[in-house]
Amino acid sequence: MFDLKRATLGAYEEGRSNPKMDTVIKIANHFSIDIEDLLTKELTVNRLLKFNETITTSPAVPKKVKTEGIPCVMEGMKSDYLLALTNRKEINLPQLTIPTVSPENKTAFVLTDNSMAGISGLFLPKDIIVGEKITIQQPLADGSLVVVATKEYILFRKIYFSNGRIILKANNSEFKDIEVSTEDVLLTWKVLHIFQHTLPQENTLEQRVAILESALALLNKNN
């Protein structure tokens, strides 16, 4: 490029020789840099090629994303939470942060029994469900997954409607259907998200036992 032989370049690199001024001027003009910078400063490849060094060499600083939490009813908290709902009082709940889920009108619940572990659906203790608060008058299809709170209980069930009354059904046939009137309902959440405590795997022992128990209970009920 500058009509320099390999041996001459080697002499420059090893400090045995210095380039002539006309060579220095050619190099400075080619890379559009000051002769003073070329002779006195350590130049990087980015500088020579006109790259933005703050982009190519500076580490990226991730933006901090502020996320609000979803109130979560943990194991052993149902009674206190239900009492607060009945008395229309506030209660401090642990916050569950899920970046992809908006916390607006949401409440999370940790499952504490195997009432919804059955052939038609397998939800196990310690799984977490997230529901969006709705009114019981909002249209819901029969069989929708909901959490219903009355003065007596908080239940995760499938909801059905019959003659102006609500029927709550479990997947596990050992748990009886519960019938309530709309006037008895304090709050209702439509279940939107389910986070399993363990990774779902086919034919795990816990799943097989839960399904077997439900099948046996259904057979006994029909006999």
Side-chain angles (χ1 to χ4, degrees):
M1 181 182 296
F2 302 110
D3 297 325
L4 298 174
K5 296 180 179 180
R6 183 68 189 91
T8 304
L9 292 175
Y12 293 163
E13 292 171 353
E14 296 172 4
R16 293 184 285 104
S17 177
N18 293 318
K20 296 179 181 180
M21 184 53 66
D22 60 339
T23 302
V24 172
I25 293 173
K26 288 181 181 179
I27 295 173
N29 289 337
H30 179 79
F31 290 106
S32 300
I33 58 177
D34 294 334
I35 294 177
E36 182 181 354
D37 289 347
L38 180 61
L39 295 176
T40 62
K41 295 182 180 180
E42 183 178 348
L43 301 176
T44 64
V45 173
N46 287 342
R47 176 76 183 278
L48 293 175
L49 297 180
K50 306 298 183 184
F51 287 163
N52 187 335
E53 293 188 342
T54 61
I55 294 176
T56 56
T57 62
S58 299
V61 179
K63 292 183 178 180
K64 292 184 178 179
V65 179
K66 184 178 180 182
T67 54
E68 297 181 12
I70 300 170
C72 184
V73 182
M74 306 291 290
E75 295 180 71
M77 298 182 64
K78 277 188 178 180
S79 297
D80 292 339
Y81 182 63
L82 188 56
L83 184 62
L85 288 181
T86 303
N87 297 325
R88 298 187 178 183
K89 292 183 178 180
E90 294 290 333
I91 182 173
N92 291 325
L93 295 174
Q95 301 291 300
L96 180 67
T97 302
I98 307 173
T100 57
V101 179
S102 166
E104 186 177 2
N105 289 329
K106 307 288 195 315
T107 305
F109 300 86
V110 177
L111 301 187
T112 57
D113 59 43
N114 65 343
S115 59
M116 292 299 285
I119 297 175
S120 60
L122 192 61
F123 309 104
L124 300 173
K126 297 186 179 180
D127 287 353
I128 297 174
I129 56 175
V130 177
E132 181 177 34
K133 186 163 56 177
I134 61 172
T135 63
I136 199 62
Q137 286 76 24
Q138 287 180 251
L140 282 172
D142 278 352
S144 296
L145 292 172
V146 297
V147 175
V148 173
T150 72
K151 291 182 179 180
E152 298 178 1
Y153 44 68
I154 299 175
L155 293 176
F156 169 46
R157 293 290 191 272
K158 288 181 178 178
I159 192 169
Y160 294 85
F161 300 90
S162 177
N163 298 323
R165 295 185 68 81
I166 297 168
I167 301 173
L168 301 174
K169 292 179 174 287
N171 284 337
N172 190 335
S173 57
E174 292 182 358
F175 291 78
K176 296 181 179 179
D177 296 347
I178 296 177
E179 186 175 329
V180 297
S181 65
T182 55
E183 290 78 12
D184 294 331
V185 176
L186 297 176
L187 281 177
T188 307
W189 296 266
K190 181 180 180 179
V191 175
L192 301 179
H193 309 281
I194 298 171
F195 300 91
Q196 294 180 302
H197 179 67
T198 56
L199 289 174
Q201 299 177 12
E202 293 184 0
N203 297 323
T204 62
L205 178 60
E206 189 175 16
Q207 291 177 343
R208 290 200 301 270
V209 169
I211 294 174
L212 183 59
E213 287 178 348
S214 298
L216 290 175
L218 183 62
L219 288 173
N220 292 333
K221 183 177 180 181
N222 294 333
N223 290 336

